[in-house]
Amino acid sequence: YEILTSDEYEWTPPENLGPTVNTQVGDEHPALSGDGLRLIFFSFHRADTGLSEATRNRTDEPFGPAQPLGEEFRNRSVERGIALSGDGLVLVFGSKRPGGPGGEGNLNLWQATRPNLSTPFSKPVC
């Protein structure tokens, strides 16, 4: 409970992440890795609508250009409630994509993993 009551912690003013991450069409449902170096979010504006990832080398640097996570993460259904493990190796999200219990249209939790940060995520499983 110390972190909740400490005077040492203050929110900084919000900052626009700039055109390498944001566009005029729509980006939403972000998840940030524990080290603050990876940002995964749902994007409507990329050629591949779906989950994208932007990275940076240090937290005092801007994020680089966002890249689609790949074919397995392209989806016309918005992926929401995105959560990324602190180490960036496990991704969990809600989706109405086909393949879940009850078929397409039911909101289910999906998970994808990767063995290290330089490897793409596995095919999501429900």
Side-chain angles (χ1 to χ4, degrees):
Y1 298 104
E2 200 58 37
I3 194 169
L4 298 175
T5 60
S6 173
D7 291 335
E8 297 175 34
Y9 300 96
E10 293 182 25
W11 288 104
T12 60
E15 295 179 36
N16 187 313
L17 295 180
T20 59
V21 175
N22 289 309
T23 67
Q24 298 174 359
V25 179
D27 305 292
E28 54 190 49
H29 304 287
L32 187 65
S33 62
D35 60 10
L37 303 180
R38 296 179 176 278
L39 177 67
I40 295 181
F41 57 97
F42 185 83
S43 177
F44 289 102
H45 73 281
R46 310 273 183 256
D48 301 318
T49 295
L51 296 181
S52 291
E53 181 176 34
T55 62
R56 58 186 175 184
N57 294 319
R58 299 186 339 227
T59 57
D60 61 349
E61 294 178 351
F63 282 101
Q67 301 296 320
L69 284 185
E71 183 68 31
E72 297 295 339
F73 298 92
R74 289 169 66 189
N75 193 0
R76 298 243 183 259
S77 173
V78 175
E79 316 287 27
R80 53 189 62 134
I82 299 167
L84 184 62
S85 63
D87 60 10
L89 301 179
V90 179
L91 177 65
V92 178
F93 56 93
S95 179
K96 293 183 178 183
R97 60 176 49 216
E104 186 172 8
N106 282 348
L107 187 59
N108 294 291
L109 292 177
W110 293 78
Q111 177 178 295
T113 60
R114 57 184 171 190
N116 58 60
L117 296 175
S118 17
T119 304
F121 280 101
S122 65
K123 180 179 179 178
V125 294
C126 186

